Amino acid sequence: MLQVQQLVKHFDGIRAVDGVSFEVLPGQCVALIGPNGAGKSTTFACIAGQYPLTGGHIAWKGVALEGLSPQARLQHGVARTFQVAQVFEALTVLQNVQLAAQAQRGLWAISAFKGLSGQMREPALALLAQTGLEALAAQDALSLPYGAKKRLELAVALAARPQLLLLDEPAAGLAGPERASLMQLVKGLAGQGMTVLYTEHNMDAVAGVADRVLVLIEGKLAAQGSFDEISRDPVVRSRYLGEAAGEAAGEGVSHA
Ligand code: ADP
Ligand code: MG
């Protein structure tokens, strides 16, 4: 289980995250939603280890994460992707995933001598199949369309064989069927037992995907519950969805 307790992250007086507490159970697919600037990416960076905390505690399976480097967190099964896809553009799609799979198995030294040609080829191809990238295996990452780059970043994160996968806007910049199919892929990962926490700023990527939804507004958790529950919540409707107050009759939503 992921436990986030009273998480605080300030940047020079900006209260990006201001006392956020929540838990994610093993195998759950949880969405962290909210308007731009709500603190979603900062919350992620704190869990993944990019930022030291201003305050609070983060534990995964009972292990305190706050003192650990991103690499040490990866050893504990915690992996992330970024809102803007980050891959090695000079390598092919397959090589990107091979490299990530090698790193997971501590094979950096061997790869330096033998190159990437044979190393971890089969597991990497399996990950490309899983993420719908098989046909693009030999293409340079540089020339990929953006949707494929987002999938590749997901494949790279999966190569670390994570137990807790943190996805910052996995479908950012994608539209229509491409967006829907990537979100179904995300949902499927949780279906296989992985614990998934993802951020999103549009409600369309939450319905039918997330088991539970956390709503962040101005660095604080405004509501949490099922998609139906949070979409009926009056605070969420007025402050996030921009609807007139008083329209909704929210029930069964716990306010944080
Ligand atoms: P979201 O992902 O929900 O859009 P962010 O977590 O990126 O929100 O940002 C939350 C707030 O913190 C914003 O006001 C943003 O400008 C600020 N912020 C985020 N990262 C930094 C940083 N590295 N330095 C200073 N301010 C930051
Ligand atoms: Mg963000």
Side-chain angles (χ1 to χ4, degrees):
M1 171 165 68
L2 173 69
Q3 293 169 294
V4 175
Q5 293 173 330
Q6 285 301 315
L7 177 64
V8 177
K9 180 64 189 175
H10 295 173
F11 299 103
D12 298 329
I14 298 169
R15 295 165 175 254
V17 181
D18 207 19
V20 168
S21 300
F22 62 86
E23 293 179 347
V24 181
L25 297 175
Q28 264 192 343
C29 183
V30 173
L32 181 63
I33 67 170
N36 275 326
K40 303 179 299 291
S41 292
T42 303
T43 300
F44 259 59
C46 288
I47 299 171
Q50 273 78 41
Y51 295 138
L53 309 187
T54 304
H57 298 285
I58 301 170
W60 167 243
K61 291 186 160 183
V63 177
L65 294 184
E66 57 262 18
L68 302 180
S69 68
Q71 197 53 40
R73 292 177 206 218
L74 200 54
Q75 304 291 320
H76 285 282
V78 180
R80 71 162 295 173
T81 64
F82 290 84
Q83 186 170 339
V84 178
Q86 300 193 353
V87 297
F88 290 113
E89 297 196 323
L91 299 181
T92 68
V93 168
L94 179 62
Q95 285 169 337
N96 264 279
V97 181
Q98 283 178 281
L99 193 64
Q102 286 180 14
Q104 196 271 330
R105 289 156 185 82
L107 295 176
W108 288 101
I110 297 171
S111 70
F113 288 102
K114 293 191 176 174
L116 277 165
S117 55
Q119 298 275 323
M120 304 305 296
R121 192 181 160 83
E122 293 310 315
L125 283 170
L127 284 166
L128 293 186
Q130 188 182 2
T131 50
L133 288 170
E134 250 173 337
L136 299 173
Q139 199 167 318
D140 286 341
L142 177 65
S143 60
L144 285 182
Y146 194 68
K149 214 175 258 185
K150 294 291 281 182
R151 282 173 182 271
L152 176 55
E153 207 199 10
L154 184 57
V156 165
L158 291 173
R161 298 206 263 188
Q163 299 164 319
L164 172 62
L165 186 60
L166 305 167
L167 306 171
D168 196 6
E169 299 206 21
L174 305 185
E178 200 176 20
R179 183 173 169 82
S181 99
L182 189 52
M183 292 319 300
Q184 285 309 308
L185 178 60
V186 169
K187 180 185 163 82
L189 297 172
Q192 293 164 23
M194 213 175 284
T195 306
V196 178
L197 178 64
Y198 71 95
T199 70
E200 181 49 53
H201 71 271
N202 288 325
M203 294 285 268
D204 73 331
V206 178
V209 179
D211 299 317
R212 200 155 62 84
V213 183
L214 310 168
V215 185
L216 204 59
I217 299 177
E218 292 177 7
K220 292 191 161 70
L221 210 54
Q224 57 179 306
S226 69
F227 174 77
D228 286 344
E229 285 166 348
I230 63 108
S231 45
R232 282 199 305 266
D233 184 76
V235 174
V236 173
R237 292 180 73 129
S238 65
R239 293 192 57 203
Y240 175 34
L241 301 177
E243 296 180 8
E247 275 176 25
E251 285 168 30
V253 180
S254 64
H255 288 270

